[in-house]
Amino acid sequence: MRMVSPLLDNRSDYTVVTLDSGLRFVHVHRDTVAEIFGVATRVGSRDELPGHYGLAHFVEHTIFKGTHKRRASSIINCMETVGGELNAYTTKEETFVYSIFPRGNASRATSLIADLVKDSEFPDAELDKEREVVADEIDSYLDTPSEAVFDDFDDLVFAGSPLGHNILGDRESLMTFNSAVCRGFLDRFYRVPNMTVFYLGGESVATVARLIDRHFAGLRDGAVERTESVPPVIEGFDETRGDGSNHQGHTVMGARIPSLFSPERHAFALLNNMLGGPGMNSRLNVALRERRGLVYSVESSLAMYTDCGLMAIYFGCNPEDTARCRRLVDSELRRMADNMLTPAALQRAKRQYIGQLTVSTASSEQTILSAARSLLLRDKVITPADIAASIESLTPADLHAAASTLRPANFSTLTLT
C-alpha cells in the first residue's frame, strides 16, 4: 500500500491510504468501544435510467438478501449476534453500506461488507418480499406532505435531469426490478475506482489494510461510464398544489447555488446557517416562529452536488398564513443581500458555526461518514479543522457576494395544501 501525503495536519487522526488494488481507504483512529467499517460508492438516484427510477435505493435494500456464501438470515445475524448492526442509505449521488459493532470485530465486519458488495445474488424470492417493504416506504413518504414537497420541488427545479426524481422511485419501476437487473447495477457501479472503504476504531491502519486486501480481493475493477450532465437552469416557477385537505400548507422556496467544488461553498454554508440553520437564533426561526408564532418548523438547507447546488427554505404553517410567511422570508433574504455584515456580526456567525461543527465531531458515525464522502467525491479528506479554517477566512465581502445571488427574485416556490 502507499500512503497519501501530506497528512491533513500534524494533530490529525485521519489517515488516507491507497491500497495496491487501487481501492481508497480512510482510517480514523479512535480508542472507542464501538467501531465502524463500511463502503461508500459513488452511485445514487441520478445514475438511474428512465424506467429504473428507485433502483439504486432498491439495490441498497436488497444487497443484504443473500450472497454466494451467505443466506439472508446469515447476513442479518453476522453482526447482530455480537451486538453490532448493519446500516445503509442512498442519496442522489452516493450509497453507503456499513456496520457499527463492538471493538474487536473488525475482521468479521470486513468479511461481511466485502461479501455484500462483491457477491450479492439478489434472489428473486427475497426481492419479492422486499418489494413490498419499499412500496410501503413509498406510500408512507407520499402520505407525509412535509417530505413529499421536497421531491415535488426537485422534480420542478431539476426538470429534464436525473437529479429530479424521487430517490425511492415509484411502484411501476419497482415491479420491474429482478435479480438480473439488480446484479447488473451492482456490476456496473460497485467497482474499485468508484468506491471508498472506511474504518473508525482502535485497530491500526496496517491491520485494517490487511483485512481489506484479503476480503476485497477480486472486487470488480475498471472505470465507471457516466452519462450525467449539468442540470439546466430552468425558468422560475410559483406553484400551489393540492386540494386543501392538509391541515397545514407546506412550502419550499429554492434557488440554484454553486456546486460542492465551488470556492464560494463555505460562504453559502455560513449564510445558510445564519438564515435557517439548526440554531433557534436563526433569522428565519426568529422572524417566523419566535416573534410571530406563525410556524412550528422553518429551516433552510443546502444540497451541494458534484456539478450544481440548491438552497431550499421550508416552512409549514396554517394555509391562510402562507402568503405572510413568504413575505417575511423574502424580507430576510433582501436584508442579507442588501446589507453587508459588520466584522463583529460575522465573527459571531463564525463562532456559532464552528462551535456546531466541533460538537458534531463527538459523533463517531458522523465523523467517519463525512470523511468517507469527502474522499469518495473529492479524492481527499476535508476534516472539520479544514472546514473551520475555511470559515474563519471568510470576509464580509465574501458573504455579501454570495447573499447577492439569493434575492427573492432568484427563488422558485412550491406549496402543497
Side-chain angles (χ1 to χ4, degrees), residues 1 31 41-42 52 54 58 74 99 115 121 140 158 161 176 190 201 210 215 222 234 277 330 333 337 359 375 400:
M1 64 183 180
D31 188 12
T41 305
R42 191 183 165 188
H52 279 173
F58 190 69
S74 175
S99 179
D115 197 23
E121 292 191 309
S140 175
F158 291 126
S161 163
T176 69
Y190 285 67
R210 283 194 296 270
H215 294 298
I234 55 92
D330 287 351
L333 290 171
V359 170
L375 183 59
H400 187 253

Side-chain angles (χ1 to χ4, degrees), residues 142-162:
L142 294 175
D143 286 341
T144 310
S146 62
E147 296 181 352
V149 67
F150 283 94
D151 283 330
D152 289 350
F153 184 86
D154 280 359
D155 278 336
L156 293 171
V157 80
F158 291 126
S161 163

Side-chain angles (χ1 to χ4, degrees), residues 18-97:
T18 300
L19 302 172
D20 291 338
S21 64
L23 195 58
R24 294 166 299 175
F25 163 43
V26 55
H27 178 287
V28 177
H29 186 271
R30 290 273 178 92
D31 188 12
T32 178
V33 296
E35 301 181 339
I36 304 171
F37 179 88
V39 171
T41 305
R42 191 183 165 188
V43 61
S45 60
R46 78 175 302 180
D47 295 293
E48 298 159 350
L49 299 175
H52 279 173
Y53 291 162
L55 180 56
H57 173 257
F58 190 69
V59 167
E60 171 238 302
H61 262 247
T62 54
I63 202 171
F64 304 108
K65 297 304 179 180
T67 70
H68 294 322
K69 298 188 295 185
R70 293 177 168 95
R71 294 186 177 184
S73 59
S74 175
I75 290 170
I76 64 174
N77 279 304
C78 182
M79 302 311 299
E80 299 283 346
T81 54
V82 297
E85 61 184 46
L86 279 170
N87 295 290
Y89 67 86
T90 303
T91 73
K92 291 182 184 284
E93 291 195 314
E94 64 263 359
T95 301
F96 280 69
V97 179

